[in-house]
Amino acid sequence: MSSLTLFNKPEPLPDQVAGKLSRTEKSIAALTVANENNPRISEMDGKQIAGIITAIVMKAAIRLGSRARDAEEQRMINTELNRDLVMKLSGFTEREIMMALENGLDGMYLRKPDDPIIFNPSNFVQWCRAFVEQTKKPVMKKAAQLLHQQKDAEFTAPDSEKLKMSHEFFLSIMKRVLDGEAYEDYGNVIYNFLEKIEFLGFGTTDKWRAMDQAKLRMIAEARENKDLNAQKSAVKNALELISKAENEKPDEQIVSMAKRILVSEKFAAYKNMPEDEQSMLLESIAERVEYLCIELKDPEQYNPDEE
């Protein structure tokens, strides 16, 4: 999408933020940064993808001590891996793919601890998705919160400049979404931006529906914990928050998750638009931001004192 090509992909975290992450968390965050030595699957040519498939197959065979497959069987497996990488995992970087594979081969994403570790294209895709949910998201959520805290503490910009920065961030995230990368609006940055410029487009019914979905998701995420004691505790906490939301003001965790759900729906709608409608929408958002920036700089221009 041409109107988004000027915006850079995610960059390494500032030192102030990285310094508050553990060594493991920093290494996971670094995997997400695409560069010449760590391209995204969507940026690879056929030769590069063939190379990563070879690396995947060899790593799996060595770690699991698998028998050598006959040429036709291996060709079919490679074809499936190629299709999965291009069609389902195009937003991953090369290092994210290899980390997801290694974690999967180590049994990190098994549903039950005593399940056998089996490498095949289906399990490989499931490991990559589990990497996003269980490994990447918690780190990126923490990094986003730290970055937000740092900006609040160290930088105070005029409201018009803050709005411009929010607009640029929105466009960078839009490009990542259109490139096939998953995005979760931790901190509700995108939600707040779209709400401020009045482009959110959700009514009260939609918001209450999202609240109900958020409650269900909280319980589902709590049940994903592999440790049974931790799972029981997490489910209990989730149910307590939901009960409180029914009788009192909804907890901020539920509200935040509901907002993230609405943003996900908004991005899905954007992604399904024809390209000309996407461009028109982006132009409308840019015009709205420009108008609001002028108003923020000179509010008297739009609200003259009555004589």
Side-chain angles (χ1 to χ4, degrees):
M1 192 170 167
S2 59
S3 28
L4 293 176
T5 54
L6 297 177
F7 292 90
N8 296 325
K9 293 184 173 66
E11 297 180 354
L13 294 171
D15 291 340
Q16 298 92 325
V17 173
K20 296 179 181 179
L21 298 176
S22 68
R23 181 178 299 178
T24 300
E25 289 170 336
K26 282 189 283 190
S27 66
I28 292 170
L31 300 177
T32 69
V33 181
N35 53 49
E36 184 177 350
N37 297 318
N38 185 35
R40 295 193 187 283
I41 300 300
S42 59
E43 299 168 342
M44 292 182 177
D45 57 28
K47 184 177 180 181
Q48 289 174 302
I49 291 177
I52 195 173
I53 289 172
T54 299
I56 289 169
V57 171
M58 288 183 63
K59 190 177 187 70
I62 292 171
R63 294 295 289 272
L64 298 180
S66 304
R67 63 173 177 80
R69 295 182 172 91
D70 62 58
E72 180 60 18
E73 182 183 10
Q74 190 61 62
R75 184 191 68 77
M76 293 176 66
I77 290 174
N78 289 0
T79 298
E80 287 297 311
L81 290 172
N82 187 91
R83 183 181 296 113
D84 288 335
L85 287 168
V86 173
M87 301 301 295
K88 301 175 183 177
L89 306 170
S90 62
F92 282 69
T93 66
E94 179 178 352
R95 290 175 185 169
E96 284 179 311
I97 288 290
M98 298 309 294
M99 175 60 76
L101 173 67
E102 183 166 336
N103 289 351
L105 292 171
D106 285 346
M108 187 177 293
Y109 305 130
L110 290 175
R111 294 183 181 276
K112 298 178 181 178
D114 55 350
D115 282 349
I117 299 172
I118 300 173
F119 172 76
N120 56 43
S122 176
N123 282 345
F124 169 66
V125 171
Q126 291 181 53
W127 293 343
C128 288
R129 289 172 175 165
F131 167 81
V132 172
E133 295 298 323
Q134 299 178 35
T135 304
K136 178 180 176 179
K137 277 188 177 181
V139 173
M140 301 315 292
K141 177 182 179 180
K142 181 177 179 179
Q145 291 171 338
L146 290 171
L147 187 59
H148 186 67
Q149 292 170 5
Q150 179 199 337
K151 288 181 177 179
D152 282 349
E154 299 180 4
F155 182 73
T156 302
D159 288 341
S160 58
E161 290 302 315
K162 289 180 181 178
L163 186 59
K164 288 180 182 178
M165 291 166 60
S166 295
H167 182 215
E168 291 179 1
F169 180 70
F170 165 77
L171 291 175
S172 69
I173 296 300
M174 173 77 96
K175 184 176 190 310
R176 287 165 54 184
V177 170
L178 294 176
D179 283 345
E181 184 174 346
Y183 173 74
E184 188 81 11
D185 190 29
Y186 292 113
N188 303 132
V189 179
I190 298 298
Y191 182 96
N192 293 337
F193 167 71
L194 293 175
E195 185 176 49
K196 185 175 184 65
I197 66 172
E198 300 177 355
F199 266 76
L200 197 57
F202 289 112
T204 303
T205 302
D206 295 311
K207 293 178 180 179
W208 281 111
R209 172 183 52 78
M211 289 284 285
D212 290 337
Q213 291 177 350
K215 295 171 186 175
L216 294 175
R217 184 186 290 187
M218 285 189 71
I219 296 174
E221 289 183 355
R223 287 175 175 163
E224 288 176 359
N225 200 312
K226 293 181 180 179
D227 183 275
L228 290 179
N229 290 329
Q231 182 188 106
K232 289 179 181 178
S233 177
V235 170
K236 180 182 177 182
N237 290 337
L239 291 173
E240 287 176 353
L241 288 177
I242 292 169
S243 177
K244 183 179 178 181
E246 298 292 339
N247 302 306
E248 305 173 29
K249 182 179 179 180
D251 185 85
E252 182 57 35
Q253 286 181 252
I254 298 177
V255 174
S256 177
M257 186 173 288
K259 290 179 178 179
R260 300 203 304 271
I261 289 171
L262 292 173
V263 167
S264 296
E265 292 177 1
K266 181 65 71 175
F267 273 130
Y270 289 162
K271 190 172 182 179
N272 290 329
M273 285 181 179
E275 192 165 324
D276 59 338
E277 291 184 19
Q278 291 176 348
S279 298
M280 289 175 62
L281 175 66
L282 290 175
E283 289 174 7
S284 297
I285 289 176
E287 289 173 1
R288 177 63 176 165
V289 169
E290 183 178 2
Y291 169 84
L292 288 175
C293 284
I294 295 172
E295 187 177 30
L296 288 167
K297 288 180 180 179
D298 188 9
E300 291 78 12
Q301 178 179 346
Y302 295 94
N303 300 286
D305 293 335
E306 294 183 4
E307 296 184 357

